Amino acid sequence: MREIVIGAAQMGPIQRADDRAAVVARMIALLDRAKAGGCDLVVFPELALTTFFPRWYIEDQAEVDAWFEREMPNPATQPLFDRAREHEIAISFGYAELTPEGRHFNTSILTDRAGQIVGKYRKVHLPGHSEFDPDRSHQHLEKRYFEPGDLGFPVWRNMDAWIGMMICNDRRWPEAYREMGLQGVELVLLGYNTPSANSQRPDETLETRLFHSDLSMQAGAYQNATWVVGVAKAGNEDGHALFGGSVIVAPDGLVAERAETEDDELLVHACDMDDCDFGKATIFDFKRHRRIEHYGRITAQTGVIRPDGTTG
Amino acid sequence: MREIVIGAAQMGPIQRADDRAAVVARMIALLDRAKAGGCDLVVFPELALTTFFPRWYIEDQAEVDAWFEREMPNPATQPLFDRAREHEIAISFGYAELTPEGRHFNTSILTDRAGQIVGKYRKVHLPGHSEFDPDRSHQHLEKRYFEPGDLGFPVWRNMDAWIGMMICNDRRWPEAYREMGLQGVELVLLGYNTPSANSQRPDETLETRLFHSDLSMQAGAYQNATWVVGVAKAGNEDGHALFGGSVIVAPDGLVAERAETEDDELLVHACDMDDCDFGKATIFDFKRHRRIEHYGRITAQTGVIRPDGTTG
């Protein structure tokens, strides 16, 4: 048995006016509850330190950059790292990263139980669009404010397990899980901010949207025999609703824990990494069953090419 | 609107003693019901003409070959093709194929509404094992009796839609759907024979096994914005239980129709191919969102290579 007690630290809404200190205080409160619950690792959402600012079209780059972190840890987040080290709890959370070279990424980090950053991931699958779209009920400007991640889908050894990260929309892409599955991943950590309404399809129900989120994480878990921890930032941010639905998914694809609220909420589950072994040794023993000679289009072409030569 | 009325023709068990004529008569009866239901296309299961023989270890190659078809159509199946042409219903079904060169495949075909074969697929992801395994509750010798398909995952234009096929265990592999998704597939036809018990994990419940089947097909449909028609051969074949659970899944991943029995049963649904358009134009617009520069492992390696260089 290789048990990691995982805390999925869903966060309620962060308003535009909330400063980093207020947010970090909430994260520390969740960390304290996780310590009481015996957690070894706590996972916070995507862009955990701020509101989900890509919903707004902002023309002033200085105003955009104010949502970004220039180093990590930094003075605002140091207390979180300190408390994590004190509790001997590894943490993972997302933030907007502005590099010394002026590059912008949607990033998440993973620490060890001593509070040292051991892994960084930059979101590969940026959803949405890059210019103002008057036909949407709200904007989703991730393609404007970030560039696509340049680090691939790394997997790290931490706490006697193979751990990877993805962020939000990555969870809908089987390629993301498979890249990590091919590195033996046993635990995928992912945070998200997902609007409760589809900006381009008003009749899509919240129930359907939660189903799509679950479906993608459960399929990724099952088809790669890995734990998946999906953690929402949820609730009403300045009039814009984000759904909750944080889950801890077992390697058989079944949901082990599920959030009930759209507020700060901690799910705790003792996850045995050895539970990945059965799937990896049988139905998803890749070396016996995958047939890469028939997968060529997956890496050879980005978009659709139909048999008649038309593209889509 | 590009509507195809689809009949998913689940079949109950076929016993070892049942001959082709008896099975074809049942398929024709389903076809007649489909005609009454207004169907344009009827989908039958994997290995629709025989019992699921890979559950038995057979040493005599002549006895093995008796489960195979040397041509298609052949005298036993000609009445099925004749009735389909008469009804102007396109059909798809699976069978064991023995080629003139002596090669063995687990194959399915697709006809047009004139009864002409317009597409052939050979199963790529063969599950199970190739030698007798005394540790299993039953054998699953597909790797013994078949060679992996050599045709990739083709997509054909038929009835004003882009149609592909996969077979049984293929449905658990996201690569199979994606290969077709990258060709613009709008309708995936697949038959299966899936034991109700896991031969290597007796405590896995039927409920979990049906969930895995649904999960894989629903994720494949959603993540490629395509209809998926999954058709079981079900029930008790000579003491070996196969589950039912045939479904017609819509391009949003929701189940449109579901079988209730483990017998011959026809699901009918009017499937609008235009329902694929929204997903293909938005969240799964591959050309805008896929990042093939980070998918290299998917085609470069078959099995697991961990960051420390160990393999699995």
Side-chain angles (χ1 to χ4, degrees):
Chain A
M1 186 179 286
R2 287 178 295 137
E3 193 174 271
I4 302 177
V5 181
I6 297 180
Q10 179 174 291
M11 294 177 70
I14 299 175
Q15 306 309 325
R16 196 164 183 167
D18 293 340
D19 65 10
R20 304 284 202 283
V23 175
V24 167
R26 284 166 57 187
M27 294 172 79
I28 289 174
L30 284 159
L31 208 51
D32 290 346
R33 285 163 57 186
K35 178 64 180 176
C39 289
D40 303 305
L41 166 66
V42 171
V43 185
F44 296 97
E46 174 194 36
L47 298 175
L49 304 174
T50 66
T51 193
F52 187 68
F53 63 87
R55 70 169 67 89
W56 291 300
Y57 182 76
I58 305 168
E59 291 186 275
D60 176 4
Q61 189 61 43
E63 187 181 338
V64 172
D65 287 352
W67 299 111
F68 282 72
E69 315 299 317
R70 285 171 172 75
E71 52 184 353
M72 189 57 62
N74 56 28
T77 57
Q78 190 61 53
L80 176 67
F81 282 78
D82 292 344
R83 189 65 61 92
R85 189 180 59 246
E86 183 184 318
H87 287 334
E88 296 181 41
I89 293 177
I91 60 173
S92 177
F93 67 90
Y95 62 97
E97 177 191 14
L98 178 52
T99 74
E101 299 77 29
R103 302 177 70 185
H104 298 74
F105 296 103
N106 188 339
T107 295
S108 61
I109 52 97
L110 171 67
T111 77
D112 62 18
R113 299 180 70 165
Q116 294 299 309
I117 294 175
V118 296
K120 176 186 278 191
Y121 169 72
R122 291 167 169 165
K123 185 175 184 176
V124 165
H125 296 99
L126 298 171
H129 50 112
S130 54
E131 299 300 331
F132 184 81
D133 182 350
D135 295 332
R136 290 176 186 251
S137 61
H138 55 268
Q139 301 298 295
H140 199 128
L141 290 156
E142 288 193 57
K143 285 193 195 290
R144 180 179 189 84
Y145 299 134
F146 303 110
E147 59 179 292
D150 60 348
L151 302 175
F153 294 97
V155 166
W156 299 271
R157 190 73 177 174
N158 193 0
M159 294 178 286
D160 203 23
W162 294 107
I163 304 180
M165 291 184 276
M166 59 172 77
I167 300 178
C168 196
N169 180 52
D170 286 320
R171 74 193 187 281
R172 304 181 196 272
W173 295 85
E175 292 92 341
Y177 300 93
R178 190 63 103 222
E179 274 288 313
M180 291 192 256
L182 285 164
Q183 297 170 77
V185 76
E186 296 168 319
L187 174 58
V188 174
L189 312 178
L190 76 94
Y192 58 86
N193 287 255
T194 307
S196 303
N198 187 325
S199 65
Q200 298 173 291
R201 178 168 245 184
D203 65 340
E204 190 173 270
T205 66
L206 175 59
E207 182 187 10
T208 293
R209 291 175 64 71
L210 283 163
F211 161 71
H212 289 158
S213 179
D214 283 352
L215 177 66
S216 297
M217 292 188 282
Q218 292 182 274
Y222 168 61
Q223 293 172 339
N224 295 278
T226 179
W227 291 92
V228 173
V229 180
V231 183
K233 182 144 64 63
N236 187 322
E237 292 191 338
D238 291 294
H240 296 269
L242 301 171
F243 68 63
S246 300
V247 286
I248 298 177
V249 183
D252 62 4
L254 293 167
V255 172
E257 305 288 342
R258 184 188 296 278
E260 300 292 330
T261 75
E262 292 189 343
D263 298 316
D264 290 7
E265 177 179 350
L266 185 73
L267 308 179
V268 178
H269 193 81
C271 301
D272 185 354
M273 297 299 117
D274 286 348
D275 289 349
C276 303
D277 295 351
F278 180 76
K280 289 184 192 299
T282 60
I283 197 165
F284 297 112
D285 181 350
F286 294 158
K287 70 180 177 300
R288 281 194 293 140
H289 300 311
R290 293 181 78 245
R291 305 300 314 189
I292 61 174
E293 69 273 28
H294 296 305
Y295 303 161
R297 289 181 183 85
I298 293 171
T299 46
Q301 69 188 67
T302 301
V304 170
I305 305 174
R306 298 185 197 88
D308 64 358
T310 60
T311 59
Chain B
M1 184 179 285
R2 288 179 293 137
E3 193 174 272
I4 302 177
V5 180
I6 297 180
Q10 177 174 291
M11 295 176 70
I14 299 175
Q15 306 309 324
R16 197 165 182 166
D18 294 340
D19 66 11
R20 303 284 201 283
V23 174
V24 167
R26 284 166 57 188
M27 295 171 78
I28 289 174
L30 283 160
L31 206 52
D32 289 345
R33 285 164 57 187
K35 177 64 180 175
C39 290
D40 303 305
L41 166 66
V42 170
V43 185
F44 296 98
E46 174 195 34
L47 298 176
L49 304 175
T50 66
T51 193
F52 187 67
F53 62 88
R55 71 170 65 91
W56 290 298
Y57 183 76
I58 306 168
E59 290 186 275
D60 175 3
Q61 190 60 42
E63 187 181 338
V64 173
D65 286 351
W67 299 111
F68 283 72
E69 314 299 317
R70 286 173 171 74
E71 54 184 352
M72 188 59 61
N74 57 29
T77 58
Q78 190 61 53
L80 175 67
F81 283 78
D82 291 344
R83 189 66 60 91
R85 188 179 61 245
E86 183 184 319
H87 287 334
E88 296 180 42
I89 293 177
I91 60 173
S92 178
F93 67 89
Y95 62 98
E97 177 191 13
L98 177 52
T99 74
E101 300 76 27
R103 302 177 69 185
H104 298 75
F105 296 102
N106 187 339
T107 295
S108 62
I109 52 96
L110 170 67
T111 78
D112 62 17
R113 299 180 70 166
Q116 292 299 309
I117 294 174
V118 296
K120 176 186 279 191
Y121 169 71
R122 290 168 171 166
K123 185 175 184 176
V124 165
H125 296 99
L126 298 172
H129 50 113
S130 55
E131 297 300 331
F132 184 81
D133 182 350
D135 294 332
R136 291 177 184 249
S137 62
H138 54 267
Q139 301 298 296
H140 199 128
L141 290 158
E142 287 193 59
K143 285 192 197 289
R144 181 178 190 84
Y145 300 134
F146 303 110
E147 59 179 292
D150 60 348
L151 302 174
F153 294 96
V155 165
W156 300 271
R157 191 73 177 175
N158 192 1
M159 294 178 286
D160 202 23
W162 295 107
I163 304 180
M165 292 183 276
M166 59 173 75
I167 299 177
C168 196
N169 180 52
D170 286 320
R171 74 192 188 282
R172 305 182 196 272
W173 296 85
E175 292 92 343
Y177 301 93
R178 191 62 104 221
E179 274 288 312
M180 291 193 255
L182 285 164
Q183 297 170 78
V185 77
E186 297 169 318
L187 174 57
V188 174
L189 313 178
L190 77 93
Y192 59 85
N193 287 254
T194 307
S196 302
N198 187 326
S199 65
Q200 297 173 291
R201 177 170 245 185
D203 65 341
E204 189 174 270
T205 66
L206 176 58
E207 182 186 11
T208 294
R209 291 175 63 72
L210 283 163
F211 161 72
H212 288 158
S213 179
D214 283 353
L215 176 67
S216 298
M217 291 189 281
Q218 292 182 272
Y222 168 61
Q223 294 172 339
N224 295 279
T226 179
W227 290 92
V228 173
V229 179
V231 184
K233 181 142 63 68
N236 187 322
E237 292 192 338
D238 291 295
H240 296 268
L242 301 171
F243 68 62
S246 300
V247 285
I248 298 175
V249 184
D252 62 4
L254 293 167
V255 172
E257 305 288 342
R258 185 187 295 278
E260 299 292 331
T261 74
E262 293 189 341
D263 297 316
D264 290 8
E265 178 178 351
L266 184 74
L267 307 179
V268 177
H269 193 81
C271 301
D272 185 356
M273 297 298 116
D274 286 348
D275 289 349
C276 303
D277 295 351
F278 180 75
K280 290 184 192 297
T282 60
I283 197 165
F284 296 112
D285 181 350
F286 294 158
K287 69 180 177 302
R288 282 195 292 140
H289 301 310
R290 294 181 77 245
R291 306 297 316 187
I292 61 174
E293 68 273 28
H294 296 304
Y295 304 161
R297 288 181 184 86
I298 293 171
T299 46
Q301 67 188 68
T302 301
V304 170
I305 305 174
R306 299 185 197 88
D308 65 359
T310 60
T311 59

